[in-house]
Structures are given as structure tokens and as C-alpha cells.
Amino acid sequence: MNPGSGGNVFIRNAALTPVLPAELEQNLLPDGDFESGNTRPANFFRVNAAPFEGINIVPSPAFLSGCRSLELHPKAGEKFTMESIYLPIVPGRKVNMIFWAKAEHPAVLRGIINFSARIHKGGKHLYASANFKLNEQWQQYSFRFDVPTDTAAYPALLDRMAKLQYNLSPAEQENRIFLDNIEFRIEE
């Protein structure tokens, strides 16, 4: 594909609005149900691979709601990592990662809430993770974490952002993992 010669892009009348407290209590991950009509996820991409390699939005294999799901298709022997866009967090509050998943073959999916810094570098790297055993049936999974307030130890908390990550360890066989209704919430 040849896009042609370069050009100029102008952005006018851009505006930023703060996230209201009531909005923080809702799902902060847009299109976590994958029903927007996109063929590729708008809010997730691969890490250390082509951005959408092995990631597709597909007709849902018998999910409880909606007609589309996110499919992860790791190859045999491949380490597979996918991460989200940056999502807001509030130090001192809880965050909760909630999702539904199933696998063509049993697998262990590692869910990570990664408080990686964009601006405030240094200190300790804060992240929280949990392993989820997937089988051939849809199940709901969740992982809650208390976000610390110690910005001296974890300067990344000053960015007030985190990413969701999903990792699959190298497996002996190809697999197909399906995710749906992914949510990220801030709780009291």
C-alpha cells in the first residue's frame, strides 16, 4: 500500500475536559464488549510484535451477550502479550479488572495492571498480576488491587494512569483465546 507523498495535518478547536467523579465509577475501557463494528481492537495492541498480529475481533463463539468477541491466536512456542491504552487511576482507591474468557485448549492467562510511567520515571515499577485458568467454557474473571499512595516509592502514580496487559506463556500447541466484556473500574 502506497499512501503517496506526505502532507500536513492540522488540529483545530481541540479541547480537554476532566473526567467527572461519576464517570470514574463506570467502565473506563471503551469498547470492551467489541461491538463497535471494528475488525481490529481500538484499545488493545500487541507488545513486541506487529500491533495486531494474532488479535482479531470475530463473531462470538456462543457468548452470553453481543455477537462479537476478541480473539487472541498465539502460535505454538510464542510468548504472547497484549496491552491496553492508558486508563485513569486514583492513588488510594481500588482498581478492578473484570472480563469474560474461554480457550479452545486449556490455558493460563496472566492479567496485569501495569502502572508504567509516561512522565514521572524512576523509583520502583508498580504492577499487580493474577493468573487465570481458562477452559473451554465462558467464565467471568476479576482482579482487584489497592492502588498505593506512596508517590516517593512509585513516582509513576503521579501520572495517574495504568495499562491492562494480558500475557500467555509459550505453549506447545496453537490456541485460540476469546475475551469479552472487558471492564476496568475504579472502586472505593
Side-chain angles (χ1 to χ4, degrees), residues 2-20:
N2 183 0
S5 60
N8 295 322
V9 174
F10 298 96
I11 299 174
R12 293 188 176 97
N13 301 324
L16 297 174
T17 58
V19 177
L20 301 173

Side-chain angles (χ1 to χ4, degrees), residues 52-132:
F52 301 112
E53 182 180 317
I55 301 176
N56 290 299
I57 296 175
V58 299
S60 184
F63 186 58
L64 308 171
S65 67
C67 60
R68 300 164 61 108
S69 297
L70 181 65
E71 177 193 56
L72 313 181
H73 192 173
K75 298 176 181 139
E78 174 184 41
K79 183 176 180 184
F80 191 100
T81 302
M82 173 183 82
E83 71 180 6
S84 74
I85 59 173
Y86 281 98
L87 301 165
I89 59 105
V90 177
R93 304 238 339 239
K94 292 176 174 48
V95 290
N96 196 1
M97 169 197 292
I98 306 162
F99 62 98
W100 286 78
K102 75 178 225 160
E104 196 171 69
H105 306 288
V108 175
L109 180 69
R110 185 173 191 201
I112 300 169
I113 303 170
N114 186 355
F115 301 84
S116 59
R118 293 183 65 191
I119 300 167
H120 298 91
K121 309 254 185 223
K124 297 178 185 175
H125 178 197
L126 179 62
Y127 68 94
S129 66
N131 290 330
F132 304 99

Side-chain angles (χ1 to χ4, degrees), residues 11 30 36 39 50 54 94 109 130 133 142 148 157 164 170 176 181-182:
I11 299 174
S36 69
T39 57
K94 292 176 174 48
L109 180 69
K133 293 181 180 178
S142 67
L157 290 174
L164 304 182
R176 291 174 58 208
N181 284 7
I182 300 174

